[in-house]
């Protein structure tokens, strides 16, 4: 099998892509797998670190606020389409898989023009523009939410869920063991705060402005992933406070332990994060990012709120409301149990396996022609 996997930009695209590739490799140890990402984006580091080859396209998103910059964006898109054709000539894949992100548009469009079958995976409850355009000629569209026929041809939609990092699901540590492994008090209620793979400005501001409030609740402890960009600022704010019950770090490398340690998670509402919360049955407060296409994180969060499976705090309200909401929630046993039960009911298990099942069907059908 020769599979091309394209997309990236954030961990929310990269982690599912790697999960799909790992499942292909598990079934077909001799498979050739090539990733195609966007130059300068995080996939160019994360994918090789996971043991896969990646090629980069000079593609970026359109600038809606400064339209004069889009002349350069269009030139990059034209150049990326030409490079995508060259990649297809050299690699000759059996299938092209798109997971969203800048590179997946030109790469999968080139594959479709060449007659190479394509599969797209839409992680969010509100489909992105690129995937809506690619869906017309895609063989299968794998989704994680109901009602996606609003965006895609109903006869090609398959409900698979979003693949998550396997190590999160395989962690066998108890809650107390996980807390000890992270240098925490094993007996204290624990809140995990994550702003996504790149950090979150508003979430960090909300925590920095509330450190004294958090310090006044010594029965609670906090794991605070601030993101690399905000690391220095957040560390200085913590050092200047009296919040000995807050452990701040730029990036949590052992997320399996962090999740296991937590009674409550505060997170953005990216699709991969939500899938992790569902599969791990974690109570959560979601703070959707407003800086994403079609405000899709709010729609992701609302899908959980409608089922009493999460609490949502709007980005504009986070500085005033987040700390009080999370401290009240982590102290409420009944609410934590209810959120955990309800979010677990939304989980779709074995997503990577289900997607690769579809990959096999597409390739087998193509070979029969």
């Amino acid at each position: 099998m020769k599979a091309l996997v394209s997309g990236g930009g954030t961990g929310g695209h990269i982690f599912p892509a790697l999960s799909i590739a790992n499942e292909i490799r598990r079934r077909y140890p001799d498979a050739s797998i090539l990733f195609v990402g966007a130059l300068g984006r995080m996939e160019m580091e994360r994918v090789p670190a996971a043991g896969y080859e990646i090629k980069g396209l000079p593609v970026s998103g359109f600038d809606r606020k400064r339209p004069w910059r889009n002349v350069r964006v269009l030139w990059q898109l034209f150049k990326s389409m030409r490079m995508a054709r060259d990649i297809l000539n050299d690699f000759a894949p059996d299938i092209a898989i798109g997971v969203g992100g800048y590179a997946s548009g030109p790469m999968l469009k080139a594959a479709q023009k060449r007659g190479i079958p394509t599969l797209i995976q839409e992680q969010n409850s509100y489909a992105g523009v690129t995937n809506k355009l690619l869906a017309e000629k895609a063989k299968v569209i794998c989704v994680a939410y109901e009602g996606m026929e609003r965006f895609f041809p109903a006869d090609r939609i398959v409900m698979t869920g979003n693949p998550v990092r396997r190590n999160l699901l395989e962690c066998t540590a108890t809650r107390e063991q996980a807390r000890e492994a992270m240098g925490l008090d094993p007996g204290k209620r624990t809140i995990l705060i994550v702003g996504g793979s790149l950090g979150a400005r508003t979430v960090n501001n909300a925590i920095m402005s509330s450190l004294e409030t958090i310090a006044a609740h010594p029965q609670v402890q906090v794991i605070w992933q601030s993101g690399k960009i905000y690391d220095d600022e957040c560390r200085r704010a913590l050092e200047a406070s009296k919040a000995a019950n807050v452990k701040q770090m730029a990036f949590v490398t052992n997320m399996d332990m962090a999740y296991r340690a937590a009674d409550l998670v505060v997170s953005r509402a990216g699709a991969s994060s939500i899938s992790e919360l569902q599969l791990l049955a974690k109570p959560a407060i979601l703070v959707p990012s407003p800086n994403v296409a079609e405000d899709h994180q709010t729609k992701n969060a609302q899908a959980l709120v409608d089922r009493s499976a999460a609490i949502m705090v709007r980005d504009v309200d986070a500085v005033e409301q987040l700390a009080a909401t999370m401290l009240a929630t982590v102290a409420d046993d009944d609410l934590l149990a209810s959120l955990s039960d309800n979010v677990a009911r939304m989980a779709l298990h074995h997503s990577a396996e289900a997607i690769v099942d579809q990959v096999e069907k597409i390739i087998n059908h193509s070979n029969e022609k």
Side-chain angles (χ1 to χ4, degrees), residues 227-240:
K228 187 176 180 180
I229 300 170
Y230 310 108
D231 183 37
D232 290 342
E233 179 185 4
C234 294
R235 186 174 64 252
R236 286 194 299 268
L238 181 58
E239 289 171 351

Side-chain angles (χ1 to χ4, degrees), residues 102-167:
Y102 298 136
S104 65
M107 195 66 246
L108 264 73
K109 179 60 75 174
Q112 290 175 345
K113 287 184 176 179
R114 188 67 59 87
I116 295 167
T118 59
L119 175 149
I120 58 176
Q121 198 243 336
E122 174 57 61
Q123 292 110 22
N124 295 293
S125 62
Y126 193 91
V129 174
T130 299
N131 275 350
K132 283 189 279 189
L133 293 172
L134 293 170
E136 183 181 350
K137 293 186 178 180
K139 298 296 183 184
V140 170
I141 303 111
C142 295
V143 302
Y145 292 89
E146 296 175 353
M148 296 304 285
E149 59 276 1
R150 294 176 295 160
F151 311 107
F152 303 129
D155 61 332
R156 280 176 276 157
I157 294 174
V158 178
M159 182 79 99
T160 60
N162 291 322
V164 304
R165 293 166 280 184
R166 185 177 289 271
N167 70 312

Side-chain angles (χ1 to χ4, degrees), residues 113-284:
K113 287 184 176 179
R114 188 67 59 87
I116 295 167
T118 59
L119 175 149
I120 58 176
Q121 198 243 336
E122 174 57 61
Q123 292 110 22
N124 295 293
S125 62
Y126 193 91
V129 174
T130 299
N131 275 350
K132 283 189 279 189
L133 293 172
L134 293 170
E136 183 181 350
K137 293 186 178 180
K139 298 296 183 184
V140 170
I141 303 111
C142 295
V143 302
Y145 292 89
E146 296 175 353
M148 296 304 285
E149 59 276 1
R150 294 176 295 160
F151 311 107
F152 303 129
D155 61 332
R156 280 176 276 157
I157 294 174
V158 178
M159 182 79 99
T160 60
N162 291 322
V164 304
R165 293 166 280 184
R166 185 177 289 271
N167 70 312
L168 299 182
L169 306 177
E170 294 176 345
C171 180
T172 58
T174 65
R175 186 169 290 178
E176 291 73 22
Q177 288 170 339
R179 290 172 183 168
E180 288 181 345
M182 299 200 72
L184 301 170
D185 186 326
K188 286 187 177 182
R189 289 290 171 98
T190 304
I191 302 171
L192 170 63
I193 300 170
V194 287
S197 51
L198 301 176
R201 161 63 65 188
T202 307
V203 173
N204 287 333
N205 284 345
I207 301 306
M208 284 191 287
S209 66
S210 305
L211 286 170
E212 300 306 328
T213 301
I214 297 169
H217 291 74
Q219 74 280 12
V220 173
Q221 58 194 350
V222 174
I223 306 167
W224 177 19
Q225 178 186 286
S226 59
K228 187 176 180 180
I229 300 170
Y230 310 108
D231 183 37
D232 290 342
E233 179 185 4
C234 294
R235 186 174 64 252
R236 286 194 299 268
L238 181 58
E239 289 171 351
S241 76
K242 298 176 182 177
N245 55 340
V246 176
K247 185 181 182 72
Q248 179 268 336
M249 60 198 76
F251 190 75
V252 177
T253 53
N254 51 342
M255 275 299 295
D256 55 339
M257 287 294 188
Y259 270 130
R260 187 55 59 94
D263 296 290
L264 175 68
V265 179
V266 176
S267 174
R268 286 302 202 188
S272 285
S273 297
I274 286 179
S275 294
E276 291 169 359
L277 295 169
Q278 291 169 339
L279 289 163
L280 298 173
K282 283 295 172 183

